[in-house]
Amino acid sequence: MAANMYRVGDYVYFENSSSNPLLIRRIEELNKTANGNVEAKVVCFYRRRDISSTLIALADKHARELEEEMENPELNPVDLPEKQKHQLRHRELFLSRQLESLPATHIRGKCCVTLLNETEALKSYLDREDAFFYSLVYDPQQKTLLADKGEIRVGNKYQADITDFLKEGEEDGRDLAKLEERVWDPSSPLTEKQIDQFLVVARSVGTFARALDCSSSVRQPSLHMSAAAASRDITLFHAMDSLDKTRYDMTRAIAALVPQGGPVLCRDEMEEWSASEANLFEEALEKYGKDFTDIQQDFLPWKSLTSIIEYYYMWKTTDRYVQQKRLKAAEAESKLKQVYIPNYNKPNPNQLSVNNVKPGGVGGLVNGSGAAAGAAVGAGGLPGALGVISAPPGQTPGLGRACESCYTTSSYQWYSWGPPNMQCRLCASCWTYWKKYGGLKMPTRLEGERPGPNRNNMSPHSVPMRHGGSPKFAVKTKQAFYLQTTQVTRAARRVCQDIIRPRFLARHPYLPLNTAQIKQECALRLPDKPKKPLPLKPVERKPLESVVRYLEAHPCPPKQDPPRAQTVTTGSLTPIKSTPNILNNGSPTILGKRTYEQHNGMDGMKPKAPQWDIMAKRTAEPSRTTSAPMQQVHELD
């Protein structure tokens, strides 16, 4: 019951595709829609497979820097085996500020995501199930990676250097005037009543100064607002500082409040900020939280970081902060605290089942082999062309295609994985690992890190066989495209022929071409050209019927026979070559005369030698006689 109860703040798996790995999200809110369904507002986490290779290189560089800073050799992941390093990449995530809403029914379980702790060994994440870590923040819009500012600063480099205690009678050799500055003397001759009276005078001077200031009159139009602004801490600090600087002489301190130029006006950040800037700050705080660096970059770039932080702590003392806190508490009360999601028991579409096999195959097939055959039928193959081969005695049927990750040939359930033309599959354990961690336990041949498992259904040339028996290479289809030139480019070809030199560039296609110079020169020459468009050579294309009639009337001339090797004249009609065909380090062979199908014993009749066809035609002609076979041989040669 508790495992199926999901609350705000939980890290969970979401499924958006039956074949892709699960998404990792953090629940921020649980909202009930109008039709009664529950939606989860979540924070997105990205895997390494979700970002570009350029950003992955930056992440690896950041990881190497962390490894160099680690002082404890036991925590350094350099000494880990290659398999564990490969699996450790699957545990790394990248936090993002992106929020999205997903149906709560797509939740597939809980996981644990923590900020990378420099004092914790990375191997500990491999020992725990459903454990992930992150140290960088990914921006999907800007395609950038930044270090998380909320890292916990733990380690020797973050500790303060504590000096030794002074011994009895030992003097401190440091200059105390350089270390600290006195701003108030509690043993002053003034009484508490006199100090309070001076502070009242300072508030009154501050209120009068705001009445004289034009910008303050706009921001605080009433006397009450001006008096409240004059009573803030910045005014009191200035008054007490004036007392200390005048050695607590009331007369001189009051004169310092009102110098010759007029009363002193003291403002803090709360008074300096406008209403629009305050609204921007509240909006940024709602989006980024207390990440003041991002608030400055995206919302208030004209404000300094010190000003933003100071305004934040002053803003927390206002009534507006209290009102927003009450509103959030009321919204939280109306929202869902938790939701119960039952276990998802529907079969996966990638699951290979023996029910897909057509009747008439080998009886008693295991799940994997039957599923592989059934998948071929579903893909458009014919049951008679499947070529299901019964296993040898003492071997379980269907062990020809092993798991793509662990190479096992036995599993209670198999799943199709990878491109359809590769026909790869995973066992149940590796499929669960793929869905949770977004990779395979071992590097796969699709990643180019190791060869694939041994296949029993290979051709003699180690080429995967199709169901019909012919070899087929897994070739990636190329997307067709064409380059379309603009009108300006076409005009530049004619206007700037002296710069482009098309004939010269046609013979030297690899020479660089200064396109910027051509564009600039074309822009200068075009206004001088006549407004009438340049005449183009008309192209008259004949209809297809006339082209076909021409080809029929003018067939392609027959090709000349290539010169043959010198032959030895004998009394028979069979031409004998002077030297045999020597291949394979001197061993005589006739492989050079046979086709691929003839050599491998596949379907197809052996064609007659071309010289026998010519001999049959020539002997069949009535004008020729067979009394001179030697002459015919010479003519053929």
Side-chain angles (χ1 to χ4, degrees):
M1 182 69 179
N4 297 94
M5 195 67 69
Y6 300 93
R7 299 174 178 84
V8 175
D10 287 347
Y11 295 90
V12 296
Y13 294 112
F14 273 90
E15 185 174 25
N16 67 337
S17 174
S18 60
S19 58
N20 293 335
L22 299 173
L23 307 177
I24 297 179
R25 301 290 186 260
R26 185 182 68 227
I27 301 177
E28 291 292 307
E29 295 178 5
L30 291 172
N31 303 319
K32 198 168 185 179
T33 60
N35 54 5
N37 298 329
V38 178
E39 283 189 352
K41 188 177 181 181
V42 295
V43 176
C44 300
F45 285 84
Y46 292 88
R47 304 179 190 264
R48 292 173 65 93
R49 67 192 304 271
D50 300 328
I51 64 178
S52 63
S53 57
T54 306
L55 295 181
I56 289 178
L58 293 177
D60 293 339
K61 181 181 178 181
H62 180 263
R64 288 192 295 268
E65 293 175 355
L66 292 180
E67 294 171 5
E68 294 175 357
E69 294 177 358
M70 289 184 178
E71 300 177 359
N72 191 352
E74 297 180 358
L75 305 180
N76 202 319
V78 177
D79 300 331
L80 291 178
E82 289 298 328
K83 179 181 178 181
Q84 293 186 356
K85 288 182 180 179
H86 173 75
Q87 295 180 359
L88 195 61
R89 298 188 188 100
H90 302 155
R91 303 300 184 101
E92 183 180 8
L93 301 178
F94 301 96
L95 174 65
S96 72
R97 309 297 183 188
Q98 183 176 354
L99 297 176
E100 63 181 8
S101 296
L102 296 174
T105 54
H106 289 186
I107 296 177
R108 297 294 181 262
K110 295 182 181 180
C111 59
C112 178
V113 182
T114 56
L115 182 66
L116 179 61
N117 193 349
E118 299 177 5
T119 61
E120 188 175 5
L122 289 175
K123 190 176 180 296
S124 62
Y125 293 98
L126 297 177
D127 300 335
R128 290 178 291 168
E129 193 74 16
D130 303 322
F132 300 88
F133 66 90
Y134 75 94
S135 60
L136 300 174
V137 180
Y138 172 62
D139 190 347
Q141 281 75 30
Q142 302 295 332
K143 306 296 182 183
T144 56
L145 275 181
L146 299 174
D148 187 19
K149 302 300 188 301
E151 58 181 347
I152 303 174
R153 298 176 178 263
V154 179
N156 297 332
K157 59 182 179 180
Y158 300 116
Q159 304 301 320
D161 296 330
I162 302 176
T163 58
D164 298 333
F165 286 105
L166 296 177
K167 299 178 181 179
E168 295 184 3
E170 184 181 0
E171 295 183 358
D172 191 357
R174 298 176 299 174
D175 188 1
L176 300 181
K178 296 181 179 179
L179 298 178
E180 52 207 12
E181 180 182 358
R182 193 196 68 179
V183 294
W184 183 256
D185 187 6
S187 59
S188 62
L190 298 179
T191 62
E192 293 291 335
K193 184 177 181 181
Q194 290 176 328
I195 295 175
D196 292 340
Q197 289 175 347
F198 179 75
L199 294 180
V200 171
V201 173
R203 294 191 190 97
S204 304
V205 172
T207 305
F208 178 65
R210 283 167 175 77
L212 297 178
D213 185 61
C214 298
S215 60
S216 298
S217 301
V218 175
R219 296 178 182 178
Q220 288 93 19
S222 64
L223 179 62
H224 296 284
M225 296 179 65
S226 299
S231 301
R232 297 186 62 81
D233 292 339
I234 188 69
T235 304
L236 303 183
F237 290 158
H238 175 69
M240 298 175 73
D241 187 54
S242 301
L243 275 177
D244 185 74
K245 289 181 178 180
T246 57
R247 302 300 179 93
Y248 302 96
D249 186 351
M250 296 285 283
T251 306
R252 293 172 55 194
I254 293 174
L257 292 179
V258 187
Q260 186 176 3
V264 177
L265 177 59
C266 302
R267 290 177 180 170
D268 55 11
E269 294 296 333
M270 183 61 66
E271 195 173 354
E272 288 288 348
W273 286 43
S274 63
S276 59
E277 291 174 341
N279 293 333
L280 281 176
F281 174 79
E282 293 176 359
E283 181 182 350
L285 196 67
E286 181 72 20
K287 181 178 181 181
Y288 293 133
K290 292 193 295 183
D291 197 340
F292 300 114
T293 305
D294 290 346
I295 291 176
Q296 180 193 24
Q297 292 178 352
D298 297 344
F299 284 86
L300 300 165
W302 59 89
K303 294 288 185 181
S304 64
L305 194 61
T306 305
S307 174
I308 294 175
I309 296 175
E310 185 178 349
Y311 178 81
Y312 168 74
Y313 287 103
M314 291 181 180
W315 173 77
K316 291 185 70 175
T317 62
T318 60
D319 294 336
R320 187 172 179 82
Y321 170 75
V322 177
Q323 293 175 2
Q324 287 193 0
K325 199 171 182 181
R326 289 175 181 173
L327 289 175
K328 288 184 178 180
E331 291 178 1
E333 288 293 331
S334 62
K335 292 179 180 178
L336 297 176
K337 303 292 188 304
Q338 57 186 11
V339 62
Y340 176 81
I341 304 296
N343 291 328
Y344 186 78
N345 297 322
K346 294 183 179 180
N348 193 293
N350 294 75
Q351 179 177 329
L352 302 177
S353 174
V354 294
N355 297 330
N356 294 336
V357 183
K358 295 288 183 178
V362 180
L365 291 177
V366 296
N367 187 16
S369 60
V377 177
L382 297 177
L386 290 177
V388 179
I389 304 174
S390 59
Q395 183 179 353
T396 307
L399 296 184
R401 192 172 291 277
C403 175
E404 196 70 25
S405 177
C406 63
Y407 293 167
T408 183
T409 55
S410 61
S411 177
Y412 67 90
Q413 183 62 58
W414 293 94
Y415 297 87
S416 62
W417 177 83
N421 60 337
M422 298 292 290
Q423 295 184 0
C424 303
R425 66 176 187 172
L426 296 177
C427 63
S429 175
C430 295
W431 177 259
T432 303
Y433 186 93
W434 158 257
K435 292 292 287 184
K436 284 186 176 182
Y437 304 113
L440 300 185
K441 295 180 181 179
M442 293 290 291
T444 174
R445 63 194 176 106
L446 297 181
E447 298 172 352
E449 300 183 23
R450 66 164 184 168
N454 295 329
R455 309 291 193 187
N456 292 343
N457 54 344
M458 290 288 185
S459 69
H461 300 279
S462 301
V463 179
M465 299 293 290
R466 271 190 302 180
H467 305 302
S470 60
K472 175 184 177 182
F473 292 93
V475 182
K476 183 179 179 181
T477 58
K478 297 181 180 179
Q479 185 176 5
F481 70 96
Y482 73 100
L483 299 177
Q484 182 179 7
T485 57
T486 61
Q487 295 291 340
V488 179
T489 306
R490 296 176 182 176
R493 292 174 181 172
R494 299 197 170 208
V495 174
C496 304
Q497 283 190 0
D498 55 333
I499 302 177
I500 300 177
R501 297 184 297 171
R503 290 181 177 272
F504 177 78
L505 290 179
R507 299 186 183 96
H508 304 80
Y510 298 104
L511 290 180
L513 187 64
N514 191 351
T515 57
Q517 178 188 0
I518 295 174
K519 288 182 180 179
Q520 183 178 3
E521 188 67 24
C522 179
L524 296 176
R525 295 184 183 183
L526 275 180
D528 299 336
K529 293 291 180 179
K531 298 301 180 179
K532 184 179 179 181
L534 297 174
L536 297 178
K537 185 182 296 183
V539 179
E540 296 181 0
R541 301 187 183 275
K542 298 181 179 180
L544 183 61
E545 297 178 358
S546 60
V547 175
V548 173
R549 286 195 299 269
Y550 177 83
L551 293 177
E552 292 177 352
H554 302 80
C556 181
K559 295 184 178 179
Q560 295 292 336
D561 293 336
R564 299 182 180 275
Q566 187 177 1
T567 58
V568 180
T569 59
T570 59
S572 64
L573 293 178
T574 306
I576 302 176
K577 293 191 176 181
S578 59
T579 56
N581 191 12
I582 306 298
L583 294 175
N584 297 333
N585 300 327
S587 59
T589 178
I590 58 173
L591 287 180
K593 294 183 179 180
R594 295 190 179 182
T595 61
Y596 177 84
E597 291 80 4
Q598 296 169 353
H599 176 65
N600 289 273
M602 303 182 72
D603 299 338
M605 296 294 292
K606 179 179 178 181
K608 296 181 180 180
Q611 58 266 35
W612 291 110
D613 293 340
I614 300 174
M615 285 291 297
K617 292 180 181 179
R618 290 178 179 263
T619 53
E621 294 179 2
S623 61
R624 292 182 178 267
T625 61
T626 58
S627 61
M630 295 288 293
Q631 183 179 358
Q632 293 179 2
V633 171
H634 286 302
E635 289 179 0
L636 287 176
D637 293 339

